[in-house]
Amino acid sequence: GLKLQFLPEQPSKLLSSKQLAQMFGVSPHTISRLIKRGVLKGYMVGRHWRFNWPEVLESLDKQKGDN
């Protein structure tokens, strides 16, 4: 599963794929695959994915519970 590499002091409400990838130490492509598999929930804003930080944490908690 995903493990945080670092946590910004105060993550903004909406994060980009690139920001999320950096936080987890993975590529933005990996983030895209996780969206397609339903592991992460994202929102399209224009042509770019955005992620709500509390929902990302909730997804990770759910993923832990499924294991």
Side-chain angles (χ1 to χ4, degrees):
L2 287 176
K3 292 191 173 138
L4 280 173
Q5 300 296 312
F6 72 93
L7 180 61
E9 285 187 30
Q10 291 197 336
S12 60
K13 276 272 192 201
L14 291 179
L15 300 166
S16 69
S17 294
K18 185 176 179 181
Q19 289 170 314
L20 203 57
Q22 288 174 340
M23 290 172 70
F24 288 106
V26 299
S27 73
H29 182 69
T30 299
I31 298 298
S32 296
R33 285 197 318 257
L34 293 171
I35 295 166
K36 287 178 186 170
R37 289 196 312 207
V39 174
L40 288 175
K41 180 179 177 184
Y43 302 92
M44 283 297 282
V45 178
R47 298 183 332 180
H48 303 282
W49 283 101
R50 294 291 181 254
F51 303 89
N52 179 290
W53 181 244
E55 289 178 0
V56 169
L57 293 177
E58 186 178 306
S59 295
L60 294 178
D61 283 343
K62 183 177 182 230
Q63 187 180 3
K64 281 183 196 174
D66 291 346
N67 289 335

